[in-house]
Amino acid sequence: MAVFLTILKWLGIILLVLLALILVILLIVLLVPIKYNARAAVEDPDRHEEFPVSVLRENSEVTARISWLLGAVTVLVAFPGNELIAVKVFGRDIRIMDRLRKEETSEEEAEEEKEEEEEKEETSLTQRVETAVGKAEKIINVVDYIHRVLTGSCGRRAFRKVSRRLLKIIDSMMPDHWKISGNVGLNDPCLNGKMMGFNSILMPFMDEHLGINTEWDLYRCDMNAEMAGKIRLITPVKETVPLIFDKDCRKVLRKLKKVKSKLQ
């Protein structure tokens, strides 16, 4: 009996440790912020008589970095660059671009095989028209059904609840810092004047975020934009969970699931 109680005691201790570990991991995921920063720049120090398409294409650069848990997980985005997206876990690159390229290659091969099969099938113009008309009718019926669901009393209540909580989620994800600065020229004093007038309207609200100068007579786009912020998953989870159990949202979701059957 003593041995049995000892086994139960150790099993209880192990279960408590596992529950505590799960709780700690859950709190880390929800409370540790995901930090992000991004920068976009166009280097155009000279003025141009024609719109500088080649300059904008060759001298543009966009970089972004998303990190979590002191850089344990990092996502890097760079354009132009050899690797558009790089994902590192504890400093190790998982080579996500290679995997995406393999998936694209397999999808292209599948599409080519599908096209070859379609070419082999002999279908008349009348059959194609009838098929297209049938698909268009299904799409129209689906759009009408979704409109009726969302404009009903239950749909309107669900929309108000979702939109209110969605705004809170978006607000929690907004950057803490952002700024746009540089020189812009549109080769038209009238257009430049309108742009500066609009800029002056925004200045009282965004004085520290905007710093745009105007090149009045020629084309120019020498700009820098940057932003940084953080996201805590606790806010999206806190705002989403009540919607999952909301009666109106569940009812609307059940109705929208019928859309798939209407397309078949």
Side-chain angles (χ1 to χ4, degrees):
M1 187 68 181
V3 175
F4 180 70
L5 292 175
T6 303
I7 293 173
L8 287 178
K9 183 181 73 173
W10 282 107
L11 285 175
I13 292 173
I14 292 171
L15 287 174
L16 287 175
V17 170
L18 289 175
L19 288 174
L21 184 61
I22 293 171
L23 181 61
V24 169
I25 294 173
L26 184 62
L27 289 175
I28 289 174
V29 171
L30 293 177
L31 297 179
V32 174
I34 301 171
K35 297 182 179 179
Y36 65 89
N37 59 73
R39 180 180 178 274
V42 180
E43 295 183 3
D44 183 19
D46 301 322
R47 300 181 300 170
H48 311 274
E49 294 184 357
E50 297 181 355
F51 190 75
V53 178
S54 59
V55 174
L56 297 179
R57 184 172 57 248
E58 295 172 2
N59 297 340
S60 299
E61 181 183 10
V62 179
T63 58
R65 185 177 187 270
I66 302 171
S67 63
W68 179 70
L69 200 60
L70 300 175
V73 180
T74 305
V75 180
L76 303 173
V77 179
F79 179 82
N82 296 328
E83 296 289 336
L84 178 61
I85 303 174
V87 180
K88 296 183 179 181
V89 180
F90 294 103
R92 183 178 178 181
D93 192 350
I94 64 174
R95 311 295 297 177
I96 190 171
M97 289 303 298
D98 293 342
R99 298 181 183 182
L100 292 175
R101 292 190 186 101
K102 289 180 181 178
E103 291 178 359
E104 289 178 357
T105 303
S106 60
E107 288 178 359
E108 289 177 358
E109 292 175 353
E111 288 179 359
E112 289 177 357
E113 292 177 358
K114 186 177 179 180
E115 289 176 357
E116 290 176 358
E117 292 177 357
E118 289 177 352
E119 289 177 358
K120 292 178 181 178
E121 295 179 357
E122 295 182 358
T123 56
S124 64
L125 179 61
T126 305
Q127 291 175 333
R128 292 179 181 178
V129 171
E130 290 177 353
T131 302
V133 171
K135 289 181 179 179
E137 289 178 349
K138 289 181 179 179
I139 293 173
I140 292 172
N141 291 333
V142 166
V143 171
D144 179 65
Y145 177 75
I146 293 174
H147 179 264
R148 284 188 282 109
V149 170
L150 296 180
T151 54
S153 58
C154 182
R156 291 197 300 270
R157 289 195 301 270
F159 179 78
R160 285 195 296 268
K161 295 173 184 177
V162 171
S163 59
R164 184 169 61 248
R165 293 185 179 274
L166 183 61
L167 288 175
K168 292 181 180 179
I169 294 173
I170 294 173
D171 182 64
S172 69
M173 296 181 177
M174 294 297 289
D176 301 323
H177 161 76
W178 66 273
K179 187 172 183 179
I180 301 174
S181 60
N183 301 285
V184 177
L186 301 177
N187 197 25
D188 187 337
C190 182
L191 290 177
N192 287 329
K194 290 180 180 179
M195 182 183 67
M196 292 307 294
F198 182 71
N199 189 25
S200 64
I201 294 173
L202 296 178
M203 272 299 177
F205 310 99
M206 302 182 179
D207 186 24
E208 59 182 18
H209 300 294
L210 292 177
I212 300 176
N213 300 317
T214 301
E215 182 68 46
W216 291 97
D217 298 324
L218 296 172
Y219 285 113
R220 187 180 178 187
C221 183
D222 190 17
M223 299 287 294
N224 284 283
E226 58 185 29
M227 69 174 182
K230 54 182 178 292
I231 301 170
R232 284 186 172 87
L233 294 180
I234 184 66
T235 302
V237 171
K238 183 181 68 175
E239 299 297 335
T240 303
V241 169
L243 295 176
I244 296 174
F245 298 98
D246 184 80
K247 182 176 65 176
D248 293 326
C249 294
R250 291 170 66 89
K251 187 175 180 180
V252 170
L253 187 61
R254 283 197 302 268
K255 291 181 178 180
L256 292 178
K257 285 182 178 178
K258 298 178 181 178
V259 169
K260 186 176 180 181
S261 62
K262 291 182 178 294
L263 282 173
Q264 294 176 351

